[in-house]
Amino acid sequence: QVQLVESGGGLVQPGGSLRLSCAASRITFSVYDMAWYRQAPGEQRELVATISAGGRTNYADSVKGRFTISRDNAKKMMYLQMNSLKPEDTAVYSCKASAGAYHYWGQGTQVTVSS
């Protein structure tokens, strides 16, 4: 069974940084488009950033210039480097793998930005 496991969340002060990781298993990782989503309490889930199987990246306007998505196909890992964090970045961050009709989600990791 395909498994995606996020890690790296936590409590950070405004202006701080965190690096999220998404570890994939039982999946041909290199052929999957990957994405980070987030969902704040009472809000709809929001697409944060995507990275295609070929390495093309896209970002939500709210995180452009602050967040960087990357992947390591050999390790079956995806990352989200988050800098200059703001309180409004507080949410549960989840990773998603997509290829054709196949979509898999991780359980999520909590990021809280607060002083």
Side-chain angles (χ1 to χ4, degrees), residues 6 20 36-39 48 63 67 80 82 85 88-95 106-113:
E6 302 93 337
L20 304 184
W36 286 100
Y37 285 77
R38 67 185 181 187
Q39 187 167 22
V48 176
V63 306
F67 290 11
L80 186 68
M82 306 187 295
L85 282 162
E88 51 263 44
D89 294 318
T90 295
V92 174
Y93 286 71
S94 301
C95 61
Q107 291 296 315
T109 185
Q110 176 70 46
V111 172
T112 302
V113 185

Side-chain angles (χ1 to χ4, degrees), residues 45-64:
R45 187 162 55 195
E46 174 190 19
L47 177 61
V48 176
T50 64
I51 184 164
S52 70
R56 183 176 301 174
T57 61
N58 276 293
Y59 299 90
D61 287 343
S62 58
V63 306
K64 278 182 182 176

Side-chain angles (χ1 to χ4, degrees), residues 2-114:
V2 174
Q3 194 171 25
L4 299 177
V5 179
E6 302 93 337
S7 62
L11 173 64
V12 63
Q13 291 187 342
S17 298
L18 281 175
R19 188 194 195 205
L20 304 184
S21 298
C22 173
S25 58
R26 304 183 185 92
I27 188 174
T28 307
F29 183 77
S30 61
V31 305
Y32 279 77
D33 296 329
M34 301 296 296
W36 286 100
Y37 285 77
R38 67 185 181 187
Q39 187 167 22
E43 301 288 335
Q44 288 191 335
R45 187 162 55 195
E46 174 190 19
L47 177 61
V48 176
T50 64
I51 184 164
S52 70
R56 183 176 301 174
T57 61
N58 276 293
Y59 299 90
D61 287 343
S62 58
V63 306
K64 278 182 182 176
R66 300 188 298 123
F67 290 11
T68 302
I69 190 171
S70 61
R71 64 190 296 162
D72 184 332
N73 289 339
K75 296 181 178 179
K76 296 187 177 182
M77 296 288 294
M78 178 179 64
Y79 306 99
L80 186 68
Q81 178 66 43
M82 306 187 295
N83 299 328
S84 303
L85 282 162
K86 305 175 181 179
E88 51 263 44
D89 294 318
T90 295
V92 174
Y93 286 71
S94 301
C95 61
K96 180 184 178 184
S98 300
Y102 297 92
H103 305 278
Y104 303 102
W105 288 90
Q107 291 296 315
T109 185
Q110 176 70 46
V111 172
T112 302
V113 185
S114 175

